[in-house]
Amino acid sequence: MTADSGLAGRAFLIVMDSAGIGGAPDAARFFNDGMPDTGANTIGHIAVECAAGRAETGRSGPLRMPTLDALGLGAAIRLASGLAAPGLDATPQGLWGAATEVSRGKDTPSGHWELAGVPVPWDWHYFRAPVNSFPPDLAALVARVAGTEGILGNCHAPGTAIIESLGAEHLRTGWPICYTSADSVFQIAAHEERFGLDRLLQLCREIAPELHRMRVGRVIARPFVGEPGHFIRTPNRRDFAIAPPAATILDRAQAAGRATHAIGKIGDIFSHRGIDHLHKGKDDAALMDHLIRLADEAGPGSLTFANFVEFDSLYGHRRDVAGYARALEWFDGRAGEFMARLRPGDLAIFTADHGNDPTFTGTDHTRERVPVLGGIVSSAGIGLNPVGQVGYVDVAASVAAHLGLPDQGPGRSFL
């Protein structure tokens, strides 16, 4: 499949955070609450629950994703895992396949870096103890930089839950709330007004180098506002992530003089490297508005890299099947609007970074293959192109090939 000749086609790489499709060959090596991820299948199992009438809150009936299913979503699920997902049985009309990850993590940086052409060459550090999770010297460093006598939390916890349980004590003591999860992450929650947003960001910025030396992937600032019983996280989250160890597709596009656009937390994931224009928003709806706008406004030969996080943050980790299904159906409708605005010569790829099966045990990400859906627009639409089983790095190689960038990455183009 090739772009119409003479046109400087654009590329749009769109990550549906955690929207896995099962079938990872190494799933047994990854765990949730002591149980292996074998059999996890995020979109597939959501479709099963919807068809069985067990996901009726705010929606009803089988899972409906006509835009992505027409591209090949149902076929990709069957290819990845063998599951015939109810309601996702359209005959593919676009580019479709399933991608397998090789990085030794099922987290945000690993997935995104590899999709951008850079598999993670090291093992991440995890804080595995559920309580007293952090080494005493690290806790002391955070308190010293924060100017407090100690920290709160020091445990594994969901972000909203720990704010509810420790927010009042945080307001009383002024101590930062520090917590982690099954990911390689150190998170700090603090009241945006009483502790101060700038102070929170500076705290995270100063301690990040020490965490990065430990191979902890991200230090995340989690500001919130409100009073006890009514705390709400604000959209001013900031990730301080380790920089990728090699040039990503963003770096390569920027070096070639192509405009690069980052939507959502892409900037944070890539340490703001290789990015010309950053587009943020308070929620996925605002991010989708940016994506649709850029379908109209992004210049010839540009690269737009987008992340839609709420599948993961609001529904996957919280094991909310109906909420995840609502988000998928909403996204599919807006994806149709986006696709209708693309120009001949444009490439669009919808994919994911890992799984987070809301029907699965525990609350962690799940090791899964991910969909690869989309195609190059021509005057006749998008043509059928089954690409089969590919690697995450092949996504980056395909974007690079479409944009005419030098062949520098480890993957192979499937275009």
Side-chain angles (χ1 to χ4, degrees):
M1 182 187 294
T2 58
D4 287 357
S5 64
L7 295 174
R10 306 172 298 174
F12 296 84
L13 179 54
I14 302 152
V15 177
M16 302 166 61
D17 202 302
S18 83
I21 55 174
D26 57 356
R29 294 173 45 207
F30 297 82
F31 295 86
N32 262 282
D33 277 356
M35 297 294 292
D37 284 349
T38 307
N41 191 327
T42 300
I43 298 181
H45 287 164
I46 291 170
V48 169
E49 293 298 293
C50 289
R54 294 189 292 264
E56 297 290 297
T57 304
R59 60 164 310 283
S60 185
L63 185 65
R64 299 177 182 87
M65 299 182 66
T67 300
L68 296 187
D69 194 28
L71 292 174
L73 176 58
I77 295 172
R78 292 191 294 275
L79 174 66
S81 62
L83 175 67
L88 302 177
D89 53 7
T91 299
Q93 301 173 18
L95 180 155
W96 67 275
T100 303
E101 184 176 12
V102 299
S103 298
R104 298 185 296 272
K106 52 175 179 175
D107 52 77
T108 295
S110 296
H112 282 78
W113 290 4
E114 193 166 328
L115 288 168
V118 182
V120 179
W122 56 66
D123 289 322
W124 296 107
H125 178 82
Y126 300 93
F127 300 107
R128 300 195 182 279
V131 296
N132 295 320
S133 303
F134 309 125
D137 57 345
L138 177 58
L141 171 66
V142 176
R144 182 169 67 253
V145 175
T148 59
E149 295 181 6
I151 64 172
L152 301 175
N154 196 358
C155 61
H156 283 232
T160 52
I162 200 167
I163 291 170
E164 292 169 3
S165 63
L166 295 178
E169 188 175 358
H170 165 71
L171 293 180
R172 180 177 60 82
T173 64
W175 293 10
I177 303 170
C178 302
Y179 62 104
T180 188
S181 69
D183 287 352
S184 178
V185 65
F186 187 94
Q187 304 191 74
I188 305 179
H191 199 280
E192 189 168 295
E193 298 163 351
R194 305 275 283 276
F195 187 90
L197 177 59
D198 289 343
R199 181 184 174 196
L200 172 60
L201 296 179
Q202 185 59 30
L203 168 60
C204 292
R205 186 178 295 109
E206 289 192 31
I207 68 168
E210 177 60 29
L211 273 299
H212 294 167
R213 277 190 289 272
M214 297 169 63
R215 295 301 191 201
V216 175
R218 291 176 292 163
V219 176
I220 304 179
R222 291 284 198 174
F224 63 96
V225 295
E227 300 297 332
H230 300 282
F231 291 124
I232 301 173
R233 294 202 293 196
T234 77
N236 293 319
R237 161 184 169 156
R238 176 75 186 274
D239 291 36
F240 297 84
I242 295 179
T248 71
I249 189 66
L250 288 163
D251 297 313
R252 293 162 60 193
Q254 187 182 62
R258 307 304 182 88
T260 57
H261 298 268
I263 297 177
K265 65 178 187 177
I266 293 297
D268 291 333
I269 294 168
F270 290 93
S271 296
H272 296 270
R273 204 178 72 191
I275 295 168
D276 295 318
H277 306 285
L278 186 63
H279 309 270
K280 302 281 279 189
K282 66 177 182 178
D283 53 24
D284 277 4
L287 301 182
M288 181 59 79
D289 288 342
H290 285 310
L291 179 63
I292 292 174
R293 175 178 55 81
L294 287 170
D296 289 331
E297 298 177 3
S302 60
L303 169 61
T304 297
F305 199 162
N307 170 278
F308 291 87
V309 70
E310 290 180 349
F311 302 108
D312 186 56
S313 62
L314 297 185
Y315 308 114
H317 287 299
R318 300 182 189 184
R319 297 303 189 244
D320 181 351
V321 177
Y324 208 131
R326 289 195 309 271
L328 288 170
E329 292 173 335
W330 165 83
F331 181 89
D332 190 81
R334 299 302 307 275
E337 295 180 47
F338 162 74
M339 294 294 289
R341 293 173 181 264
L342 296 180
R343 307 166 187 165
D346 287 343
L347 169 69
I349 296 178
F350 295 89
T351 187
D353 52 344
H354 50 70
N356 199 342
D357 187 341
T359 73
F360 215 65
T361 184
T363 60
D364 188 15
H365 297 153
T366 43
R367 181 72 163 187
E368 302 179 38
R369 288 183 168 121
V370 298
V372 178
L373 309 169
I376 299 175
V377 178
S378 73
S379 56
I382 291 180
L384 176 64
N385 183 14
V387 300
Q389 297 277 11
V390 299
Y392 279 34
V393 291
D394 297 332
V395 173
S398 301
V399 171
H402 179 72
L403 293 177
L405 304 179
D407 184 11
Q408 298 175 340
R412 297 180 62 184
S413 172
F414 45 67
L415 297 180

